[in-house]
């Protein structure tokens, strides 16, 4: 049977308060279904320079996570979240972590840490949270294809062991659950 590919368009909440886009715009992102696993994938842009990134769509996850192994994560804008900051507290982080590899995305000392979960293999790891640029296309009905950038998007790192069981080409998970740090909550702020 030939591959079935949905191309639903996904409208995420109207924006208020955004400096980069006006209140009449909405973010849109393509959603496809992986034919072999039947899981849904959302394509967003992340990091600097912006890189097209496929993430597993998870309607229940409270935050987004992405593989931060040094070969796959290169970005000039990533920042870590120090333990003890208000941001770390609001993430309800339960761990503060150190790192004994060279400093980089997901590897700092005194870093706020989270427990990203893979819902397919039902596994979790402890990994550092980070902030980086995130972008989706915005539309106001006139200029489709313009990018709306969220420069302070909060996500968790993971290591590549957490990608097991996910569709090929996916480098993490997009959390759409009920949380101040879900993907829709962060792009609508
Ligand atoms: C964290 O601190 C330890 C001990 O001081 C040090 O050996 C290590 O290199 C540091 N890690 C990073 C990523 O700076
Ligand atoms: C935004 O739209 C352009 C052109 O329509 C497309 O090439 C690009 O992949 C889209 N980016 C995202 C993040 O969806
Ligand atoms: C989410 O953000 C709102 C508004 O800033 C705040 O009132 C609320 O306490 C936050 N919820 C959690 C669980 O931190």
């Amino acid at each position: 049977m030939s591959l079935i590919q949905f191309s639903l368009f996904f409208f995420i909440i109207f924006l208020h308060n955004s400096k980069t886009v006006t209140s009449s715009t909405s973010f849109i992102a393509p959603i496809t279904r992986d034919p072999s696993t039947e899981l849904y994938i959302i394509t967003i842009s992340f990091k600097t320079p912006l890189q097209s990134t496929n993430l597993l769509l998870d309607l229940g996850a409270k935050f987004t996570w992405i593989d931060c192994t040094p070969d796959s994560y290169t970005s000039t804008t990533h920042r870590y979240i120090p333990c003890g900051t208000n941001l770390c507290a609001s993430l309800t982080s339960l761990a503060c972590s150190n790192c004994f590899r060279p400093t980089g995305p997901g590897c700092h000392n005194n870093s706020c840490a989270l427990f990203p979960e893979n819902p397919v293999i039902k596994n979790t790891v402890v990994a550092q949270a980070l902030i980086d640029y995130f972008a989706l296309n915005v539309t106001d009905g006139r200029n489709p294809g313009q990018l709306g950038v969220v420069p302070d998007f909060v996500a968790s790192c993971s290591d590549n062991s957490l990608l097991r069981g996910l569709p090929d080409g996916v480098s993490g998970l997009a959390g759409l659950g009920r949380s101040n740090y879900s993907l829709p909550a962060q792009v609508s702020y």
Side-chain angles (χ1 to χ4, degrees):
M1 203 189 98
S2 68
L3 309 183
I4 304 164
Q5 247 195 357
F6 286 73
S7 205
L8 308 175
F9 278 93
F10 181 64
F11 288 77
I12 306 172
I13 297 181
F14 291 103
L15 296 165
H16 310 285
N17 285 339
S18 172
K19 295 191 185 80
T20 45
V21 279
T22 67
S23 62
S24 62
T25 57
S26 47
F27 281 107
I28 57 174
I31 294 176
T32 53
R33 193 174 66 164
D34 176 57
S36 58
T37 58
E38 304 199 337
L39 296 168
Y40 288 90
I41 299 170
I42 185 169
T43 305
I44 54 93
S45 290
F46 199 59
K47 309 169 188 167
T48 301
L50 285 170
Q51 290 154 48
S52 181
T53 304
N54 293 331
L55 300 173
L56 179 74
L57 192 64
D58 185 329
L59 299 179
K62 292 188 183 335
F63 55 84
T64 293
W65 59 259
I66 188 160
D67 176 20
C68 290
T69 46
D71 288 348
S72 38
Y73 200 117
T74 52
S75 173
T76 57
T77 45
H78 71 88
R79 284 165 287 153
Y80 82 111
I81 302 171
C83 300
T85 56
N86 290 340
L87 177 56
C88 186
S90 70
L91 279 164
T92 57
S93 165
L94 298 173
C96 180
S97 98
N98 290 330
C99 183
F100 298 92
R101 288 176 285 110
T103 306
C107 185
H108 285 269
N109 280 337
N110 191 43
S111 176
C112 193
L114 292 169
F115 294 89
E117 286 177 27
N118 174 322
V120 176
I121 58 170
K122 305 205 178 355
N123 196 13
T124 184
V125 297
V126 59
Q128 300 193 354
L130 54 60
I131 302 171
D132 209 340
Y133 277 49
F134 176 96
L136 291 175
N137 280 324
V138 298
T139 181
D140 57 6
R142 293 190 302 270
N143 299 305
Q146 261 191 324
L147 280 181
V149 177
V150 178
D152 51 2
F153 190 86
V154 175
S156 174
C157 281
S158 76
D159 57 54
N160 53 14
S161 71
L162 207 59
L163 297 175
R164 211 152 45 81
L166 302 190
D168 286 346
V170 160
S171 50
L173 173 150
L176 272 66
R178 190 188 291 269
S179 146
N180 284 349
Y181 294 97
S182 71
L183 191 156
Q186 294 197 67
V187 301
S188 63
Y189 172 63

